[in-house]
């Protein structure tokens, strides 16, 4: 009987609900988590496509255009292997940090008439039953800052991140962001392979935040990511390590 109950629950949670014809099938378990106010929205570069901004691959190409330089053979090889953070790391080693970061800002600059409707909708979805805003993004751009939203959301920028507990209510730029007004904020952007190493390994503030988030969140909805995104590699590794630690 216990097995039948567990199997019935598993099947119920796998059933999807469609709100529009030919639309996506939304798992019932996710809808229940939304109803309970236990979902954290986790956003990648795809959510800013409607604003005209590129993904990580397009960012590397755009940065090279702004720098008016061709990729060196070793940079091109990493780019072809979809190691975009590695390619940017080699470029930064050769031209220096400030020029590369300036080029990234130029490549991700938003137009005044950009469409922020996706960001507005995600901000609304990220409000819990208690009125807490719980949204995490690995994007650098200011789209969530510029989106039309009732009230004035709080923003936290790496490496100064909140504890994702009961009282957390903000948009967290896990990899830093252009809305950060701290001095030398661009140096905190998690952009190159060395930056990822510091954020997730040597200094570890990103992995600590994720570890607490995975432990405390009822459900996490990833939006706007692709499997080639280097952020996903690190996030999945952090999630796997956290689960292994709890099951040991």
């Amino acid at each position: 009987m216990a097995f039948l109950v567990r199997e019935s629950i598993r099947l119920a949670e796998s059933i999807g609900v469609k709100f529009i014809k030919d639309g996506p099938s939304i798992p019932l378990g996710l809808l229940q988590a939304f109803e309970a106010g236990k979902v954290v929205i986790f956003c990648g570069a795809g959510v800013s496509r409607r604003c005209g901004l590129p993904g990580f691959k397009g960012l590397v190409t755009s940065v090279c255009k702004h720098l008016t330089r061709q990729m060196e053979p070793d940079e091109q090889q990493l780019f072809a292997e979809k190691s975009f953070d590695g390619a940017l790391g080699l470029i930064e080693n050769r031209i220096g940090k400030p020029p590369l970061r300036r080029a990234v800002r130029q490549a991700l600059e938003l137009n005044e008439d950009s469409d922020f409707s996706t960001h507005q909708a995600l901000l609304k979805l990220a409000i819990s039953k208690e009125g807490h805003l719980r949204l995490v993004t690995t994007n650098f751009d200011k789209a969530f800052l510029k989106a039309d939203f009732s009230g004035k959301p709080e923003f936290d920028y790496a490496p100064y991140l909140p504890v994702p507990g009961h009282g957390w209510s903000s948009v967290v730029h896990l990899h830093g962001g252009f809305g950060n007004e701290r001095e030398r904020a661009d140096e905190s952007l998690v952009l190159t392979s060395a930056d990822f190493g510091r954020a997730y390994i040597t200094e570890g503030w990103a992995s600590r935040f994720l570890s607490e988030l995975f432990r405390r969140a009822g459900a996490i909805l990833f939006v706007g990511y692709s499997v080639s995104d280097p952020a996903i590699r690190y996030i999945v590794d952090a999630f796997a390590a956290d689960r292994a630690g709890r099951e040991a």
Side-chain angles (χ1 to χ4, degrees), residues 13-94:
E13 290 180 341
S14 67
I15 296 173
V17 177
K18 291 187 178 182
F19 290 98
I20 57 174
K21 184 180 178 181
D22 299 324
S25 181
I26 302 174
L28 181 59
L30 179 60
L31 292 174
Q32 291 170 338
F34 266 115
E35 182 67 22
K38 296 181 178 179
V39 175
V40 174
I41 307 293
F42 208 117
C43 300
V47 304
S48 292
R49 291 292 178 87
R50 187 170 285 185
C51 300
L53 298 185
F56 212 161
K57 178 180 180 180
L59 176 62
V60 178
T61 303
S62 184
V63 162
C64 288
K65 288 181 180 179
H66 282 286
L67 292 171
T68 62
R69 74 183 292 275
Q70 297 288 329
M71 278 188 273
E72 300 287 344
D74 53 351
E75 298 163 6
Q76 184 64 53
Q77 181 177 347
L78 288 175
F79 181 83
E81 295 171 354
K82 298 183 179 181
S83 178
F84 306 127
D85 54 327
L88 288 175
L90 289 179
I91 294 171
E92 183 168 276
N93 288 340
R94 286 168 173 145

Side-chain angles (χ1 to χ4, degrees), residues 149-196:
F149 183 69
S150 59
K152 188 174 182 180
E154 295 292 325
F155 287 81
D156 289 297
Y157 297 93
Y160 305 101
L161 303 178
V163 176
H166 180 73
W168 166 40
S169 181
S170 68
V171 176
V172 171
H173 279 265
L174 184 63
H175 291 168
F178 299 144
N180 187 356
E181 297 181 356
R182 290 176 181 267
E183 187 177 359
R184 302 173 70 179
D186 284 4
E187 295 185 12
S188 299
L189 298 179
V190 180
L191 180 64
T192 68
S193 52
D195 296 327
F196 277 99

Side-chain angles (χ1 to χ4, degrees), residues 222-245:
F222 289 88
V223 184
Y225 284 100
S226 69
V227 293
S228 63
D229 193 320
I232 283 292
R233 299 199 309 267
Y234 286 93
I235 291 166
V236 169
D237 287 347
F239 179 68
D242 180 70
R243 288 192 60 181

